[in-house]
Amino acid sequence: MRPTLRQMQYLVAIADTGKFGEAAKVTNVSQPSMSAQIAEMEAQLGAVLIERGRQRAFLTPIGEEVVRRARLILRDAEDLKAVVRADAQDLTGRIRLGVLPTIGAYLLPSVTRHLHLDHPDLRLIVREERTIDLERHLHDGLFDTVISTIEDHADVDHEFLFQEDLWICAAPDDPLAQKVGDISLADLRERTLLTLGYGHRLNLIIQSLAEVSGAYVNSEYEGTSLDAIRQMAEMGVGIAVFPSLYALTEARRDPDLIVRRINDPRASRQISLIWRSTSPLSARLRLLATELRETAGTILHKVDARPKR
């Protein structure tokens, strides 16, 4: 007797949620049935995989190794199904897409509307995550593809989508907000920059800009979102640095928001659609990349009305 794919799905769900009840909801099964299946799996393997605490379920050391291998098996099983369903001539079926939170809300609404009209048989399942989590979950098989920065992903194929320049936002009475036109890296010298927390590529880019410009990154505050950083900047805590989609969309939405582009080739990031090099969905994902690239270009062109104040 060997563990079934379903049993492995249950085990992975418990590992991800830490609770039998939550895992049962995720996998659409009753909790007693799940508990029975995990107990049967442990009996088949002759090992205890889960330590059942009063509040949470903890993986044992051997349980962690079994979960690691189960993720790979489940990923390959999904790839096998994808090979059977794959149609390189059209976008059909389910595609699980991971995306950076600094991009998703500004790109995907327009993309999904367009895709649903032109490709009604496509089911796009989207989840936002930090750069570091996108990399891990892509190779674990949680995602079929991700929208991210290519330098953060290994053993992958990709299609370039667009480039985002970086913009700053400062309090209305800040000299940088009063300046007309673009700013240079020299303008940031000895200024305090605000950034997102660990695990975001944007954090590393801003750290690098601080080093070359003589600025400082605020070590006492790391934002959980671009909106949070924006609020801190508008209160005068520091200078926020935003990518184009966010900065220009929000500047059009809020006339009181003042943003200035950093005029330097190092103040930019390249965004790509990325997938595992072994993925059977490669042809379909290249079609998706074409759709994303065209929509992103339209959005960036539409919102690129730089403040004249």
Side-chain angles (χ1 to χ4, degrees):
M1 296 290 292
R2 298 184 179 90
T4 65
L5 291 176
R6 195 61 176 158
Q7 287 171 338
M8 285 186 271
Q9 288 175 333
Y10 294 156
L11 181 64
V12 168
I14 293 169
D16 288 341
T17 63
K19 295 183 178 180
F20 273 79
E22 291 299 319
K25 292 178 183 178
V26 170
T27 53
N28 296 311
V29 67
S30 69
Q31 185 171 336
S33 178
M34 170 175 281
S35 297
Q37 287 293 314
I38 293 299
E40 181 178 323
M41 184 179 186
E42 290 177 320
Q44 291 168 348
L45 295 175
V48 176
L49 307 178
I50 298 175
E51 177 185 344
R52 294 154 175 81
R54 296 183 65 181
Q55 299 296 327
R56 293 184 62 83
F58 302 93
L59 292 175
T60 63
I62 189 64
E64 291 181 353
E65 178 61 18
V66 172
V67 166
R68 186 185 71 81
R69 293 173 181 269
R71 290 187 193 276
L72 298 177
I73 293 170
L74 292 171
R75 185 193 73 184
D76 289 343
E78 286 294 323
D79 284 352
L80 179 63
K81 289 192 294 183
V83 168
V84 176
R85 298 193 305 263
D87 180 358
Q89 303 305 313
D90 196 12
L91 285 171
T92 59
R94 183 186 70 173
I95 295 179
R96 299 166 299 172
L97 172 65
V99 62
L100 295 171
T102 55
I103 290 176
Y106 302 94
L107 173 64
L108 293 183
S110 295
V111 168
T112 53
R113 283 195 298 270
H114 178 70
L115 288 173
H116 287 158
L117 287 174
D118 291 353
H119 307 279
D121 294 327
L122 173 66
R123 184 184 174 204
L124 198 62
I125 301 172
V126 180
R127 178 170 167 175
E128 293 185 348
E129 288 192 348
R130 300 178 304 166
T131 313
I132 192 172
D133 295 323
L134 291 178
E135 162 68 1
R136 177 165 57 90
H137 288 150
L138 176 64
H139 288 288
D140 281 348
L142 182 62
F143 298 127
D144 298 309
T145 183
V146 299
I147 298 176
S148 186
T149 42
I150 186 60
E151 59 265 40
D152 295 293
H153 302 274
D155 301 321
V156 295
D157 288 340
H158 76 284
E159 286 275 346
F160 170 79
L161 297 181
F162 56 92
Q163 174 176 306
E164 285 192 290
D165 294 332
L166 297 184
W167 298 62
I168 64 97
C169 168
D173 58 352
D174 189 285
L176 291 182
Q178 302 298 321
K179 185 173 181 178
V180 177
D182 296 343
I183 70 166
S184 66
L185 287 182
D187 292 322
L188 298 178
R189 183 174 177 81
E190 297 187 354
R191 300 303 305 270
T192 300
L193 306 183
L194 301 170
T195 184
L196 297 172
Y198 169 76
H200 294 275
R201 161 58 56 174
L202 187 60
N203 178 301
L204 298 179
I205 295 175
I206 294 173
Q207 294 276 0
S208 177
L209 292 179
E211 290 179 8
V212 299
S213 67
Y216 308 95
V217 174
N218 190 319
S219 60
E220 298 178 354
Y221 176 79
E222 291 183 341
T224 57
S225 69
L226 295 181
D227 285 338
I229 293 174
R230 170 184 168 182
Q231 292 176 5
M232 297 296 284
E234 291 178 327
M235 290 189 296
V237 175
I239 307 298
V241 181
F242 299 140
S244 295
L245 278 175
Y246 178 89
L248 298 178
T249 301
E250 290 301 310
R252 284 174 60 90
R253 184 179 299 168
D254 180 2
D256 293 327
L257 176 65
I258 301 175
V259 294
R260 298 287 183 261
R261 188 175 75 93
I262 306 175
N263 186 9
D264 190 281
R266 291 166 289 189
S268 66
R269 65 176 184 175
Q270 308 284 323
I271 302 299
S272 297
L273 186 69
I274 300 164
W275 59 90
R276 297 182 299 277
S277 57
T278 57
S279 174
L281 301 178
S282 292
R284 215 184 307 179
L285 294 176
R286 293 190 189 281
L287 291 176
L288 178 61
T290 299
E291 300 275 3
L292 290 168
R293 188 183 304 112
E294 291 176 355
T295 303
T298 300
I299 294 173
L300 285 169
H301 177 75
K302 182 186 298 184
V303 300
D304 193 6
R306 299 179 189 171
K308 300 299 190 293
R309 291 182 293 161

